[in-house]
Amino acid sequence: MLSVRLPESLEYKLTEFCALQNVSKSSVVQRALEKHLRRVPKLVQAAKNDNPFTALRGIGNRQHTTEQMMTMTRGEDWNQA
């Protein structure tokens, strides 16, 4: 058995979702956790490499442009000659 503390806003969203879908909180959390953990072996294996950015390879969600990612990881002046 596992108990998990959720922020109030997330608990509210979960409760509302479960009521609308007529499913239990446990089943929703179990499915979400299983989905998340299916990705972990790829991340764990990549993290074993020397390069810390290797663990991030392939997890992009296209929310950020390459320029934004470079700025976040290397700083504002990453492209200055």
Side-chain angles (χ1 to χ4, degrees):
M1 173 162 224
L2 172 70
S3 295
V4 178
R5 290 189 179 134
L6 299 174
E8 202 171 293
S9 61
L10 186 56
E11 168 114 30
Y12 177 79
K13 289 176 186 178
L14 178 61
T15 301
E16 291 293 308
F17 176 83
C18 291
L20 290 170
Q21 298 295 317
N22 196 29
V23 294
S24 71
K25 290 179 183 178
S26 290
S27 67
V28 172
V29 172
Q30 286 172 7
R31 281 185 269 150
L33 187 56
E34 286 172 356
K35 182 178 178 180
H36 175 75
L37 291 177
R38 276 195 295 270
R39 290 178 25 154
V40 171
K42 296 176 190 174
L43 296 176
V44 170
Q45 176 136 3
K48 291 179 182 177
N49 295 331
D50 292 337
N51 185 343
F53 293 105
T54 305
L56 302 174
R57 185 180 296 136
I59 64 168
N61 56 14
R62 299 188 186 267
Q63 286 182 334
H64 302 290
T65 65
T66 301
E67 186 166 325
Q68 290 170 322
M69 292 298 292
M70 294 297 284
T71 299
M72 287 188 284
T73 57
R74 300 195 180 175
E76 292 290 331
D77 60 346
W78 72 271
N79 198 21
Q80 303 300 315

